[in-house]
Amino acid sequence: MIKEAYNTSIKNMQVMDEDSNVDISLIPKDLDDKKLIEMYKFMNLGRAVSNKLLALQRLGKVATFAPLNGEEAVQVGSAYAMDKNDYIVPIYRTHLSLIVRGVPLKSLFTAVKGYEEAYSSISDYHTTPEIIVVGSQFTHAAGIAYGLKYRKIGNAVIVYGGDGSTSEGDFYEAINFAGVFNLPVIFMIENNEWAISVPRSRQSAAETLAQKGVAAGIKSIQVDGNDVLAVYKATKDALESIKQNGKPVLIEALTYRMGMHTTSDDPTKYRPEEDVDAWQKKDPIKRLQRYLISKKIWNDEMEQSMIEENKELVNQAAKDIESVKSEPEKMFDNVYSFIPETLQEEKDEAVKNNFWQ
Amino acid sequence: MVNLMLANMVTALNNALDLCLNESSDIIVLGEDVGKDGGVFRVTDGLIKKYGPDRIVDTPLAESSIIGTSIGMAIAGMHPFPEIQFGGFSYIGFDQLAAHAARYRSRTMGNIQIPMVVRMPVSGGVRTLEHHSESPEALFSHIGGLIVVEPSTPYDAKGLLIKAAHSKDPILFLEPTKLYRLFKQEIPDGMYEVPIGKANLAKEGDDLTIITYGTMAREVQKTVEENNISADVLDLRTINPIDESAILKSVKKTGRALIVHEASLSFGVGAEISARIGEKCLYDLKSPVMRVGGFSFPYPFSGDEDYWVPNRNKVLYYIKKLMDS
């Protein structure tokens, strides 16, 4: 009896296997060649951005940075499936979801350089700043979904979190809240196996993270997170389901953090390189590339020109942030909707007496 | 015969943890990445090899449970040393600290004690992401029932941590990130204690008293040295309970008091100290008590942090202002 009670069945979906064989019956109808190529380009741009910021960090030109290498399919497949008026609630690694949404590279680079200016027009893109305190993003997303529903705006929300984030109380509270109020929100668990040095097995004794959604009464599915087609399909299906019955959906995408947690981290301290090598073969970009080539909609020439284009884009972004610098007096302008007398005094005193020289 | 070792704050803390774990099997270290990784700042480096995964425990990523389960462990007779990876993440566990750790003793008239040492890196200056640079000592001190310790030297860090391990109270042990590797000091390699609740008179002088701690302790001493100022510099080392008698003794001597901390100015530790001086030795003062702190809003993104954290210019300006008034 106990065995039966614990039996939760979570579907694991794959559309394109590791050798790029595709189950045509599963490909969403709207995913035409143009869209496939666009997704492929976004995935490549994401990796180029990640590599560039890593290089800039090593040169001391930007601050601490969380690379996204290996997780391109989760971020592109999901963000690309969303409507541009749907909300994205990102975390410190989901830079690529923001790129897909259209947030300028200059903004992302400015954030990594360490300036709030990065986010000074972020709501125009129906997204929030990348959230760093693990787990807190989920409740915000549930709240945004509540707001959209309350205001009868027919859009949905997608919120990202890693495997580790599902251990936080806020995660459980958010899926519970979303379930109770039937909110239009997708919880995208980007399970990359590692929370800094702590492996997935140490986060939960549950067989899947997706099954945590079952307890909250929300639909949950697992997908191959290195299969961009599966992630796209799962997200589209979730949006369709939300449209039909208004209920939230949880997607656990299985992927792998190919690099360090952040530029401050040294993964060789806690995981064998062979583990990483095994995942090289599952590279999400290579996987889609092989499929595009087999469909004869992609070739070396296109690859070369895309590489050049991406190089120009990231170099331009790096150049664009060279002029971004401190303007300390601006720190005081947006603490409140007004400047209290005592705060104005702190500012005046700093300016007058050259504290910042 | 005392053997000395050259240690930065990380080495000193690591050594203290080693000695304490060795001394008492009731002690365990738990938190995010404290095991195999040795902590993100390497404070717990190597301990898992020596003491095993049952005593150096990598927990799931959940701060409230790290503190909450530690409270339970303490009730069960253990002496847990939970680590919160950064002070900015401690707010997720704030309920456990404020509503439970701080109150167990008083609500049971001493029947249940919570011996626990919550370690966390605090304060800024090292170009991190958001929420990695907060200075939450005033928040914790305001609750009452929680001891709040913040060393500024390797010697004090080790001695205070050992003292904390020998105490019966819930102790918040705040470690300034910027000071982890900033300088080394010769310290005894064996057990020694630095008292909790006692300030250190780091410098002696006649013209004013500067009360400080944490990241600012060193900045203040440098400012005083560079400008040939004759000042008593009191490094608090413990924020709560505050060493009021040391403060009053010095201020009565010099007649002038400046409080310098990195945390936001408003409603902070400086306000508490200033009020006590006003209440207990107003007529010994030659000038009003003054405060230097970070600006009264949350810590900015790293690009502006050098403008938010008080620097030597600001400290010197206030010293002069105090001497001239």
Side-chain angles (χ1 to χ4, degrees), chain A residues 12-183:
Chain A
N12 183 306
M13 184 169 68
Q14 192 180 52
V15 176
M16 174 169 58
D17 71 15
E18 286 168 29
D19 300 319
S20 306
N21 302 308
V22 168
D23 184 342
I24 300 292
S25 70
L26 290 177
I27 293 192
K29 298 279 176 289
D30 71 306
L31 210 46
D32 57 23
D33 291 352
K34 187 171 157 267
K35 285 182 174 173
L36 285 172
I37 289 172
E38 203 173 15
M39 285 209 293
Y40 178 69
K41 286 184 170 177
F42 271 131
M43 289 168 75
N44 278 279
L45 178 59
R47 189 165 297 181
V49 163
S50 193
N51 290 339
K52 184 70 183 180
L53 284 167
L54 199 56
L56 290 173
Q57 196 280 336
R58 293 311 188 216
L59 291 169
K61 292 189 173 176
V62 296
T64 312
F65 166 68
L68 59 86
N69 301 47
E71 302 175 39
E72 294 86 356
V74 182
Q75 298 180 17
V76 170
S78 55
Y80 196 77
M82 304 298 285
D83 182 83
K84 70 175 181 0
N85 291 318
D86 290 335
Y87 263 84
I88 292 177
V89 182
I91 56 162
Y92 51 84
R93 201 183 307 287
T94 41
H95 321 296
L96 189 44
S97 300
L98 297 183
I99 293 172
V100 172
R101 176 47 59 86
V103 175
L105 292 189
K106 186 189 174 186
S107 298
L108 292 167
F109 279 52
T110 302
V112 182
K113 196 176 179 188
Y115 294 98
E116 286 89 343
E117 190 187 318
Y119 295 131
S120 57
S121 58
I122 197 70
S123 69
D124 297 354
Y125 302 94
H126 289 210
T127 177
T128 66
E130 292 182 353
I131 289 170
I132 291 167
V133 180
V134 174
S136 27
Q137 72 274 16
F138 295 119
T139 47
H140 304 174
I144 293 170
Y146 194 102
L148 294 177
K149 188 178 175 184
Y150 180 83
R151 296 176 59 213
K152 298 189 168 48
I153 298 167
N155 283 102
V157 182
I158 187 165
V159 57
Y160 294 87
D163 35 323
S165 75
T166 66
S167 300
E168 291 281 7
D170 272 2
F171 166 74
Y172 294 97
E173 295 178 34
I175 59 173
N176 193 53
F177 190 98
V180 166
F181 293 106
N182 291 330
L183 300 178

Side-chain angles (χ1 to χ4, degrees), chain B residues 186-197:
Chain B
E186 283 207 318
I187 64 170
D189 69 353
M191 281 277 192
Y192 67 92
E193 289 184 354
V194 167
I196 286 173

Side-chain angles (χ1 to χ4, degrees), chain B:
Chain B
M1 173 76 190
V2 177
N3 288 317
L4 295 176
M5 60 186 270
L6 195 61
N8 62 25
M9 195 183 280
V10 169
T11 331
L13 289 166
N14 182 271
N15 176 238
L17 287 170
D18 186 9
L19 293 168
C20 295
L21 284 155
N22 190 48
E23 183 181 63
S24 166
S25 60
D26 291 339
I27 294 177
I28 72 161
V29 171
L30 68 157
E32 296 154 10
D33 306 287
V34 297
K36 220 169 177 181
D37 199 34
V40 293
F41 290 103
R42 305 287 179 256
V43 174
T44 56
D45 204 22
L47 297 177
I48 193 168
K49 269 197 188 135
K50 198 162 172 187
Y51 298 100
D54 291 340
R55 295 189 68 197
I56 312 297
V57 185
D58 276 327
T59 63
L61 207 176
E63 294 76 12
S64 181
S65 72
I66 291 170
I67 297 172
T69 54
S70 293
I71 290 172
M73 291 173 198
I75 293 170
M78 295 168 66
H79 197 154
F81 276 47
E83 175 182 299
I84 297 298
Q85 198 158 65
F86 287 92
F89 304 152
S90 68
Y91 306 144
I92 302 175
F94 201 81
D95 168 67
Q96 293 294 347
L97 291 169
H100 305 289
R103 301 172 63 96
Y104 251 106
R105 178 183 276 272
S106 55
R107 66 201 278 250
T108 61
M109 296 185 77
N111 185 248
I112 296 179
Q113 305 173 357
I114 307 295
M116 166 169 91
V117 182
V118 188
R119 296 179 35 254
M120 65 184 80
V122 297
S123 299
V126 293
R127 298 279 179 274
T128 55
L129 291 164
E130 279 180 274
H131 316 294
H132 292 62
S133 306
E134 343 300 301
S135 298
E137 66 274 10
L139 298 175
F140 297 138
S141 297
H142 185 67
I143 297 164
L146 300 173
I147 286 173
V148 181
V149 169
E150 186 169 348
S152 74
T153 67
Y155 179 88
D156 285 348
K158 178 176 171 181
L160 282 165
L161 193 59
I162 291 169
K163 178 65 190 171
H166 295 158
S167 306
K168 299 281 182 212
D169 297 296
I171 294 172
L172 290 167
F173 199 92
L174 313 184
E175 303 166 2
T177 314
K178 197 180 176 182
L179 304 182
Y180 267 148
R181 293 187 167 81
L182 193 66
F183 63 100
K184 289 180 181 177
Q185 222 180 3
E186 283 207 318
I187 64 170
D189 69 353
M191 281 277 192
Y192 67 92
E193 289 184 354
V194 167
I196 286 173
K198 292 285 170 212
N200 175 38
L201 187 58
K203 267 195 179 308
E204 279 195 70
D206 303 317
D207 296 340
L208 79 158
T209 300
I210 308 179
I211 302 129
T212 184
Y213 58 89
T215 52
M216 288 294 117
R218 198 174 158 85
E219 288 302 301
V220 164
Q221 289 175 63
K222 294 278 174 204
T223 310
V224 167
E225 282 162 19
E226 285 165 6
N227 297 283
N228 293 317
I229 290 158
S230 176
D232 267 5
V233 177
L234 266 181
D235 178 357
L236 287 177
R237 303 191 292 198
T238 301
I239 313 299
N240 182 49
I242 198 143
D243 190 355
E244 188 189 83
S245 58
I247 294 168
L248 296 181
K249 188 179 165 200
S250 173
V251 174
K252 280 178 181 168
K253 180 184 82 174
T254 64
R256 290 189 170 90
L258 177 67
I259 304 126
V260 183
H261 53 58
E262 179 173 324
S264 289
L265 182 78
S266 302
F267 307 95
V269 173
E272 173 65 28
I273 295 169
S274 175
R276 285 174 187 271
I277 294 170
E279 283 162 3
K280 301 204 174 163
C281 63
L282 183 67
Y283 299 109
D284 296 296
L285 292 176
K286 297 170 188 161
S287 58
V289 179
M290 292 186 191
R291 295 174 292 156
V292 174
F295 293 114
S296 299
F297 50 83
Y299 201 90
F301 283 18
S302 64
D304 282 326
E305 69 180 337
D306 290 344
Y307 301 104
W308 189 90
V309 174
N311 59 16
R312 291 180 203 176
N313 283 347
K314 191 167 176 178
V315 174
L316 185 62
Y317 167 80
Y318 270 94
I319 291 172
K320 286 180 176 162
K321 189 173 171 184
L322 188 67
M323 296 309 296
D324 292 345
S325 59

